[in-house]
């Protein structure tokens, strides 16, 4: 049985623990043994987004120390994976030994759907759902990691599920971390557009792979359209 290290981001740990539990169950179902390092902490993404580069470097070095010897690291968050794979080498560019370690680790860190489809060559995980679903292309997955087809392959393999088109699926939901705090009016306008497209799609459930987007869209739905659901792909599968 293959073993992988499980990286659980802050938003999942603090607000959405069911996504972490679903990730563990899903990995075990496909024959993978998830290992959890209790000493793991934030990847540093909030710090670097807010301009605190030294704090982000400290978090990055801790992450590298915790996960640096692992053969594979898997996470249910595209933005956190993007932080490690893309931004760690840039962040640590002036410290050659740390940059080398960051670059080596970046090759072994995977977003969950990417790991299932590209590494394990698994698309059908034995799930079933009778209904229509739409898929939101979270910014970091699509633009930072180039992940788009992998989630859709997993979704279309679910028995009884119809994947329906979502208008402007690749447009940001308005979260963007610091963006939603700095520009709340613009953020909410973008969010209203995203939810409107979801409602127009006729889907029973909106699926995505990013915990931040889930908090953003889910909060709006709970306040305005409590009968409509948004789910992380791990929970759906």
């Amino acid at each position: 049985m293959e073993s992988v290290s499980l990286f659980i981001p802050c938003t999942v740990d603090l607000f959405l623990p069911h996504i972490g539990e679903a990730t563990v169950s899903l990995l075990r179902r496909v024959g993978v043994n998830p290992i959890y390092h209790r000493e793991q902490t934030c990847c540093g993404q909030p710090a670097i987004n807010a301009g605190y580069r030294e704090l982000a470097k400290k978090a990055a070095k801790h992450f590298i120390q915790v996960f640096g010897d692992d053969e594979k690291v898997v996470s249910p968050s595209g933005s956190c994976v993007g932080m490690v794979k893309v931004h760690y080498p840039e962040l640590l560019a002036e410290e050659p030994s740390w940059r080398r370690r960051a670059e080596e680790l970046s090759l072994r860190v995977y977003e969950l759907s990417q790991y299932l489809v590209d590494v394990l060559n698994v698309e059908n995980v034995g799930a079933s759902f009778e209904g229509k679903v739409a898929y939101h292309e979270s910014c970091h997955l699509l633009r930072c990691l180039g992940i788009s087809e992998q989630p859709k392959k997993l979704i279309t393999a679910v028995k009884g599920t119809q994947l329906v088109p979502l208008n402007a699926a690749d447009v940001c939901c308005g979260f963007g971390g610091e963006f939603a705090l700095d520009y709340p009016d613009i953020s909410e306008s973008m969010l209203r557009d995203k939810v409107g497209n979801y409602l127009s799609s006729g889907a029973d459930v909106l699926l995505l792979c990013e915990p931040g987007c889930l908090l953003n869209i889910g909060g709006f739905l709970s306040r305005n359209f409590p009968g409509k659901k948004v789910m992380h792909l791990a929970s759906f599968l």
Side-chain angles (χ1 to χ4, degrees), residues 28 32 68 172 194 202:
R28 287 175 175 168
V32 175
C172 179
K194 178 63 63 174

Side-chain angles (χ1 to χ4, degrees), residues 39-41 57-67 98:
E39 62 270 32
Q40 66 179 275
T41 58
K57 285 182 181 180
K58 183 177 180 180
K61 290 176 180 179
H62 179 73
F63 187 99
I64 293 170
Q65 289 173 325
V66 171
F67 292 101
W98 281 107

Side-chain angles (χ1 to χ4, degrees), residues 7 75 77-86 109-111 114 145:
F7 169 42
S75 177
S77 170
S79 62
C80 293
V81 170
M83 177 68 182
V84 177
K85 290 181 73 69
V86 178
V109 180
Y110 303 92
E111 184 272 332
Q114 179 187 43
L145 301 176

